[in-house]
Amino acid sequence: GESVGLHLPTLSVQEGDNSIINCAYSNSASDYFIWYKQESGKGPQFIIDIRSNMDKRQGQRVTVLLNKTVKHLSLQIAATQPGDSAVYFCAETGSGGYQKVTFGTGTKLQVIP
Amino acid sequence: GAGVSQSPSNKVTEKGKDVELRCDPISGHTALYWYRQSLGQGLEFLIYFQGNSAPDKSGLPSDRFSAERTGGSVSTLTIQRTQQEDSAVYLCASSPRAYEQYFGPGTRLTVT
């Protein structure tokens, strides 16, 4: 069946450096891809999403890149800060209104001061 | 404004007992989702409600699990005859539009 997976379970980054979190997906029919951040003891927090007809979208200090050819999604965090330490999940969903959202297993980002 | 709230925050129950978990979504959000998250794992979809449409129950792991949403607002997830493998954090999310979910803090369920 379709799945959304992550390449690396843990990523350690020096404070101030840029972080890149990767995600692979297998459902070519996915229309929206979403990144969530989950801090310890809290529910996931929406960061940014991107539609399948786009290949790049920028937010505040974050950029999401989508490569549909290789079914790859990445989240780039600029100038990583200690507050960015969390688990990051990619998720995908179909089109046509509210749909079941499928989450990946998560990447833990550790920021080294 | 108020976010999604869930109660209780922690629940310890004995194997075989029934439990009810409550979710209060953000007012005006038409969709509501339930997920389960085991320690160190991703989110497992359980069920979602959208307006007056029939809920999508495709993620419920067994018939011991059920959920209701009353008046298009508050939702209750019920687990009957709890088993140890039901131990997890149960997360609720509400959504104002299809691709943006706002999560509550979760209910940590421990079945002893």
Side-chain angles (χ1 to χ4, degrees), chain A:
Chain A
E2 291 84 9
S3 66
V4 178
L6 294 171
H7 292 305
L8 298 173
T10 303
L11 177 66
S12 296
V13 175
Q14 201 74 35
E15 181 179 356
D17 287 352
N18 296 334
S19 303
I20 300 176
I21 302 171
N22 296 303
C23 177
Y25 65 94
S26 59
N27 184 1
S28 58
S30 296
D31 194 31
Y32 272 86
F33 302 88
I34 313 108
W35 282 100
Y36 287 88
K37 172 186 179 183
Q38 186 175 27
E39 297 175 285
S40 181
K42 297 182 180 180
Q45 178 184 10
F46 173 89
I47 302 173
I48 191 169
D49 62 1
I50 187 169
R51 195 167 184 181
S52 60
N53 62 355
M54 302 171 67
D55 54 21
K56 180 179 181 179
R57 190 172 185 205
Q58 290 184 296
Q60 186 177 12
R61 277 202 310 119
V62 295
T63 301
V64 56
L65 299 178
L66 175 63
N67 185 330
K68 293 180 288 294
T69 301
V70 296
K71 296 180 184 173
H72 184 266
L73 186 71
S74 69
L75 177 70
Q76 300 179 1
I77 304 173
T80 311
Q81 303 169 0
D84 295 327
S85 293
V87 176
Y88 290 80
F89 294 95
C90 64
E92 59 89 14
T93 187
S95 61
Y98 292 93
Q99 296 279 341
K100 183 171 71 175
V101 179
T102 302
F103 282 77
T105 53
T107 293
K108 183 176 181 179
L109 177 64
Q110 295 179 324
V111 181
I112 304 166

Side-chain angles (χ1 to χ4, degrees), chain B residues 38-50:
Chain B
S38 300
L39 185 62
Q41 299 297 311
L43 278 70
E44 176 188 3
F45 166 81
L46 297 177
I47 186 171
Y48 90 84
F49 299 87
Q50 163 52 23

Side-chain angles (χ1 to χ4, degrees), chain A residues 98-101, chain B residues 4-6 21-35 45-57 66-77 91-98 100-104:
Chain A
Y98 292 93
Q99 296 279 341
K100 183 171 71 175
V101 179
Chain B
V4 178
S5 62
Q6 292 186 245
L21 312 179
R22 177 186 169 106
C23 173
D24 286 84
I26 294 172
S27 178
H29 286 193
T30 57
L32 186 148
Y33 297 76
W34 281 99
Y35 296 88
F45 166 81
L46 297 177
I47 186 171
Y48 90 84
F49 299 87
Q50 163 52 23
N52 295 321
S53 302
D56 180 344
K57 304 179 181 180
S66 63
E68 291 184 341
R69 189 178 185 195
T70 56
S73 181
V74 172
S75 179
T76 302
L77 177 69
L91 291 159
C92 171
S94 71
S95 178
R97 62 185 179 96
E100 187 171 341
Q101 298 180 52
Y102 294 84
F103 283 83

